[in-house]
Amino acid sequence: MKPLLFSAALAALAAAPACAHFQLIYNPEPNLERPGDVPLRLIFWHPMENGHAMDMGKPLELFYVFKGEKIDIGETLAPITFTGAQNGAAAFEAALPVKRNGDYIVGLVPAPYYEESEDIYIQQITKVFFNKGGIPSGWNEPLGLPTEIVPLNKPTNVIAGSTFSGRLLSQGAPVAGAEIEIEYIAAEPDMETNAVGEATVGPVPGGAIVAITDENGVFTFGIPRAGHWGFAALGAGPATEHEGKELSQDAVIWIKAYDLD
Ligand SMILES: [Cu+2]
C-alpha cells in the first residue's frame, strides 16, 4: 500500500497547475426547509480570481446520494452559458429533487476537459452537500467515487472562524502527502442571469492556498470568512490518461460557511 500512496502523492504535486481552476456545483443555499427542486449551476471556472471560465462538455454523470441510495439526475441537465468577468463559457443547469429531511450529496463526473496550454485533460470529480430540516443522514459517508474528499466537519454549516477538515481518498484508500488547493467563490454566480456577481474579495498574493494531507489523508484549514469554500486534490484519481494524453483526475468538494451573529 505504501508505494501506491507515495506515487499518488508525487503525481498530485507534479499535476499542480499554474492557475487554480475549480469545478462548481452551485446553489447559494445548502440548508433547505421545504421540499422542491433545487436549481443547480455547473460551472468550470477560476472562482477566487473571478477569472477565466472554461467550456464544459456534457457531464458523464450527475447524481445524488440520499441515505445510501444513489439516484441519477443526469436527465435534468440542460446547457446554459455562464458569463464570467472575463468571458462566456458553456456550462449546465440541473435540478436536485428534495423531498424528505436529511443530507443530499450531489456528485458530478464531468467530461475530461482539454487544457491546451498544458496539453493535458482535466477531470474534476466534484461533490456538494445539501440538507433539509437540519437532520443529518450521512454527509460523512464516502460515495465510492474514483477519488473524493470526505468531510470530517458537517459541510453545510461551517462557522466562519472555525476549521474544516477532510480526508482524501483514491479508490477508497487515504492519500498521504497530497496537495489540497483551497478556494473561495469571490463573486457568486447569479442564479437568474447565469452571470457572475460583484467580487467581494481579491486573490491572495503568492498563488494558490495549499494544505498537505497527513499520513491518514486528512487536511485541516481555518475558515476565515462566510461563503462558499472549495477544496481540490489534483491528480488524486486512479485514471492518468485520456485519449493518449495525460489526465489530471481531481477530487473537489464545496462547503458553505456562515457568520455566527
Ligand atoms: Cu486554471
Side-chain angles (χ1 to χ4, degrees), residues 169-195:
L169 303 179
S170 181
Q171 295 181 292
V175 184
E179 221 176 85
I180 306 291
E181 280 192 12
I182 301 156
E183 288 238 334
Y184 182 72
I185 299 184
E188 295 196 18
D190 183 309
M191 297 294 288
E192 299 297 320
T193 61
N194 295 323

Side-chain angles (χ1 to χ4, degrees), residues 17-21 46 54 115 118:
C19 57
H21 39 257
H46 294 83
M54 285 74 74
E115 175 55 60
E118 297 176 66

Side-chain angles (χ1 to χ4, degrees), residues 44-74:
F44 192 33
W45 189 30
H46 294 83
M48 192 148 189
E49 299 147 53
N50 192 16
H52 187 74
M54 285 74 74
D55 286 325
M56 285 183 67
K58 180 140 205 276
L60 303 184
E61 204 183 349
L62 180 69
F63 64 92
Y64 70 93
V65 171
F66 180 79
K67 295 187 176 173
E69 196 188 344
K70 179 176 171 178
I71 295 118
D72 190 282
I73 50 171

Side-chain angles (χ1 to χ4, degrees), residues 22-32 37-45 47-48 56 59 62-63 73 76-78 80 82-83 91-96 104-108 124 126-130 183-200 226-230 252-258:
F22 273 65
Q23 175 68 53
L24 271 65
I25 307 171
Y26 180 79
N27 179 286
E29 183 51 66
N31 291 294
L32 311 166
D37 282 350
V38 177
L40 305 174
R41 299 290 182 267
L42 315 184
I43 300 165
F44 192 33
W45 189 30
M48 192 148 189
M56 285 183 67
L62 180 69
F63 64 92
I73 50 171
T76 71
L77 284 164
I80 58 168
F82 170 68
T83 308
F92 285 85
E93 60 179 22
L96 167 68
Y104 293 76
I105 312 176
V106 180
L108 167 65
Q124 298 206 313
T126 301
K127 299 198 306 196
V128 72
F129 302 79
F130 294 87
E183 288 238 334
Y184 182 72
I185 299 184
E188 295 196 18
D190 183 309
M191 297 294 288
E192 299 297 320
T193 61
N194 295 323
V196 69
E198 199 75 24
T200 56
H228 297 261
W229 288 89
V252 173
I253 69 163
W254 288 96
I255 65 165
K256 176 85 186 265
Y258 296 86

Side-chain angles (χ1 to χ4, degrees), residues 68-257:
E69 196 188 344
K70 179 176 171 178
I71 295 118
D72 190 282
I73 50 171
E75 78 281 359
T76 71
L77 284 164
I80 58 168
T81 299
F82 170 68
T83 308
Q86 296 182 0
N87 66 316
F92 285 85
E93 60 179 22
L96 167 68
V98 166
K99 294 186 190 88
R100 292 146 65 199
N101 286 345
D103 292 314
Y104 293 76
I105 312 176
V106 180
L108 167 65
V109 182
Y113 168 83
Y114 179 63
E115 175 55 60
E116 215 176 332
S117 68
E118 297 176 66
D119 194 28
I120 63 165
Y121 281 95
I122 299 165
Q123 183 181 43
Q124 298 206 313
I125 300 172
T126 301
K127 299 198 306 196
V128 72
F129 302 79
F130 294 87
N131 177 273
K132 177 168 172 280
I135 312 292
S137 70
W139 56 262
N140 55 333
E141 297 291 337
L143 302 188
L145 291 162
T147 182
E148 64 185 301
I149 293 168
V150 178
L152 299 175
N153 297 93
K154 199 161 97 178
T156 43
N157 65 350
V158 177
I159 300 303
S162 73
T163 60
F164 174 77
S165 298
R167 189 192 309 276
L168 174 62
L169 303 179
S170 181
Q171 295 181 292
V175 184
E179 221 176 85
I180 306 291
E181 280 192 12
I182 301 156
E183 288 238 334
Y184 182 72
I185 299 184
E188 295 196 18
D190 183 309
M191 297 294 288
E192 299 297 320
T193 61
N194 295 323
V196 69
E198 199 75 24
T200 56
V201 296
V204 291
I209 306 165
V210 170
I212 302 284
T213 60
D214 69 12
E215 63 275 16
N216 299 310
V218 173
F219 66 89
T220 296
F221 178 67
I223 302 293
R225 68 182 275 139
H228 297 261
W229 288 89
F231 302 83
L234 306 185
T240 56
E241 205 185 293
H242 180 72
E243 291 184 351
K245 293 194 187 293
E246 184 187 331
L247 171 71
S248 178
Q249 193 179 46
D250 311 340
V252 173
I253 69 163
W254 288 96
I255 65 165
K256 176 85 186 265

